[in-house]
Structures are given as C-alpha cells and as structure tokens.
Amino acid sequence: MPVEEFVAGWISGAVGLVLGHPFDTVKVRLQTQNTYRGIVDCVLKTYRHESLLGFFKGMSFPIASVALVNSVLFGVYSNTLMALTTTSHQERRAQPPSYTNIFIAGCTGGLLQAYCLAPFDLIKVRLQNQTEPRVQPGSHQPRYRGPVHCAASIFREEGPQGLFRGSWALVLRDTPTLGMYFVTYEGLCRQYTPEGQNPSSATVLVAGGFAGIASWITATPFDVIKSRMQMDGLKGRKYRGMLDCMASSFRQEGVGVFFRGMTLNSARAFPVNAVTFLSYEYLLRLWR
Ligand SMILES: C[N+](C)(C)CCCC[C@H](N)C(=O)O
C-alpha cells in the first residue's frame, strides 16, 4: 500500500540522520566559515570549544522533519513510479521498471522533498554555525536560543520568505541528484541479485551506500551555494542572488570552493544511506 512507503521513508531517514549529523556539522562550517584550515582543524576546535555536543547542534528539527521530508521523497518516488509503470513496490522485482522511469520518479520525489526540506534545512544550518559553547549563566548568549527561537527570529527579521532562503539552490541540488540516487541504487541491486529475487541485506547496504555517495558527490557544488545563501541575510545581505553567490565565491576562492565539503559529504553518505535503504526495504517486507 502506498502509505507504507511514506512511513518506511520516515523511520529509515531518522536512523540515518543521527548517524550522519556530526559529519554534517563539520561540513557546513567548512563551507560557510573561512576560519578553519581543514577537517581536522574544524573537528578539534569544535570539540575543544563546544565539547561533543557541538557536533549535534541543529539536529532536533531535522529529526522532527525527516518524517515529512523522507516520507515525501520515498512516497512520491514510489507513487510516481507506480503511475508510470503500473507496478507496486512488491511487483517491481518481477517486472523491473526502466532506468528512465526510475530517474523521472526520483527527480519528482527530489523536487517535492526539497521544498519541504527548505525551512528546516535553513534552521539547521544557522544553528550549526553558532560556535558558542553551551550557555552558562552570565556567558555570551548565542544569537538563536534554539530551533523554535531561530525560526521565529528569521520570520520576524527576514519575513516569511526568509524561511525559504536558499531554496532555489536546494531544488537545483536535489532534483537531478535524487534521480541519480535511485538509478544508482536500483542499478547496483540488479547487478548483484539473481533475477526475480529480493536483494540481500549486504547488497542493499552497499547499493544504498554507493547511491548516497554518487548523489552527494554531484550535489556538492550546489550544496556549497545553498549553505552560503542560507547564511546570507544573517548580518545583512552579501549576495544579490544565487548567480551572484556563485560568481563571487568563484572569484574570491577559485573553483575549489565548489568542492568544499565533498569528502565529508561522501563519508557521511555511505553509512547514512546504507542504513536508510536497509531499514526502508526491511520495513516494507515486514508489512507485506
Ligand atoms: C540529493 N542529495 C545528495 C543532496 C541528498 C540525498 C539525501 C539522502 C539522505 N537523506 C541523506 O541525507 O544523505
């Protein structure tokens, strides 16, 4: 039943999310702050200054919203595929859909999830970039006290459209790359599974992991622009728009800027997406 796909998408996303958050925090900081020399430097400074908790900043909203975001991604993907091929999830092993249809369904899922993700991702990025240690009485207060305060402040200071800052870059980041995500996953599963059978757990883990890496590698240039657009507006506006952000980042920092965070994105992508697909497939088989 289509609704199961939504629920499976949610639970599997939450599991992956917690696992990958520390990588994500370091990545966001490297993409948007020029104070770190590299991954190790950023990890050490974060740990010394903010303790282990520093790596988990901004995680609560993503956990709450992953329900919506991942269920939209997997639910729209699967239901689009059903509309294109008239096969349900269970029938797809016996009648595999074409890669073109998988790509179209993945892009559709990606496009819609990007819109749901936009405000939550913005708040995550703003909180991850607060480098103040835990608030103690009398110490310097960070700008945002928590996710709700952050959302309310953005709404007040930058208007409702402020909550969607960077959403264009996010849509461009996620639409084609999520098409690729499902094509890679399906392709690898088919390659290592005898015809008509379900892929083994090991196959699902490896295919999910590589699907994550493939889509994150290609998504990184827009990921950098997205993070920068999201931080813009915090202290006045530096960029006139997405194209200006791309041009001025390139002018000031060279082409390398578009690959910032690629190592961390890939390192995070394998475990996160291996677990995401494994729990997704497992839950759907459980409910059949
Ligand atoms: C398309 N792009 C690679 C940007 C995102 C893929 C999202 C997959 C998973 N929720 C994760 O957080 O890794």
Side-chain angles (χ1 to χ4, degrees):
M1 210 184 42
V3 76
E4 290 170 353
E5 318 253 341
F6 285 99
V7 180
W10 163 31
I11 302 181
S12 51
V15 179
L17 200 112
V18 178
L19 216 65
H21 199 76
F23 292 89
D24 195 70
T25 302
V26 176
K27 175 205 77 175
V28 164
R29 291 183 173 191
L30 287 174
Q31 285 178 336
T32 57
Q33 303 185 19
N34 283 331
T35 46
Y36 304 111
R37 283 194 305 272
I39 299 175
V40 178
D41 187 42
C42 181
V43 170
L44 290 178
K45 282 188 179 145
T46 303
Y47 181 71
R48 274 195 214 120
H49 202 57
E50 301 159 65
S51 83
L52 263 186
L53 288 173
F55 296 98
F56 290 94
K57 279 186 181 165
M59 195 174 71
S60 57
F61 254 34
I63 296 239
S65 63
V66 75
L68 177 74
V69 173
N70 254 35
S71 65
V72 167
L73 173 62
F74 283 88
V76 171
Y77 166 73
S78 191
N79 285 289
T80 308
L81 210 47
M82 183 136 98
L84 291 171
T85 63
T86 61
T87 51
S88 71
H89 183 84
Q90 286 81 20
E91 293 157 352
R92 274 179 218 141
R93 291 289 160 222
Q95 296 160 263
S98 73
Y99 287 115
T100 313
N101 283 335
I102 294 177
F103 185 75
I104 297 173
C107 290
T108 314
L111 177 78
L112 292 175
Q113 71 102 44
Y115 266 103
C116 306
L117 178 65
F120 298 110
D121 195 65
L122 171 74
I123 288 154
K124 175 194 76 107
V125 166
R126 293 267 173 112
L127 293 175
Q128 283 177 317
N129 267 324
Q130 299 202 122
T131 49
E132 289 87 352
R134 283 226 106 181
V135 193
Q136 263 128 39
S139 69
H140 173 71
Q141 285 265 347
R143 167 118 179 208
Y144 303 123
R145 288 196 293 273
V148 177
H149 179 244
C150 178
S153 314
I154 296 174
F155 188 86
R156 215 178 327 103
E157 291 158 18
E158 302 167 49
Q161 74 281 19
L163 286 170
F164 284 85
R165 202 177 286 286
S167 58
W168 258 110
L170 188 64
V171 166
L172 288 175
R173 181 195 82 171
D174 282 8
T175 305
T177 52
L178 280 165
M180 221 173 87
Y181 178 70
F182 287 104
V183 168
T184 311
Y185 175 71
E186 269 300 317
L188 288 173
C189 278
R190 282 182 203 175
Q191 182 96 35
Y192 296 105
T193 310
E195 245 181 63
Q197 285 184 25
N198 279 324
S200 69
S201 303
T203 305
V204 169
L205 280 172
V206 173
F210 279 109
I213 292 187
S215 78
W216 271 110
I217 285 184
T218 41
T220 300
F222 273 116
D223 189 45
V224 175
I225 300 307
K226 182 235 27 143
S227 303
R228 293 187 165 204
M229 292 298 293
Q230 288 172 326
M231 288 309 289
D232 201 32
L234 188 62
K235 302 181 190 118
R237 299 199 52 187
K238 193 156 105 205
Y239 308 118
R240 267 168 296 148
M242 196 178 71
L243 288 178
D244 185 40
C245 175
M246 288 167 98
S248 87
S249 300
F250 174 70
R251 241 183 284 115
Q252 283 163 22
E253 292 156 81
V255 70
V257 73
F258 297 112
F259 302 98
R260 232 188 252 179
M262 188 131 125
T263 315
L264 284 168
N265 269 343
S266 317
R268 172 188 171 280
F270 194 92
V272 170
N273 293 288
V275 170
T276 300
F277 272 107
L278 187 68
S279 40
Y280 175 71
E281 296 279 356
Y282 175 79
L283 289 169
L284 285 177
R285 267 178 234 172
L286 193 75
W287 290 330
R288 196 166 37 187

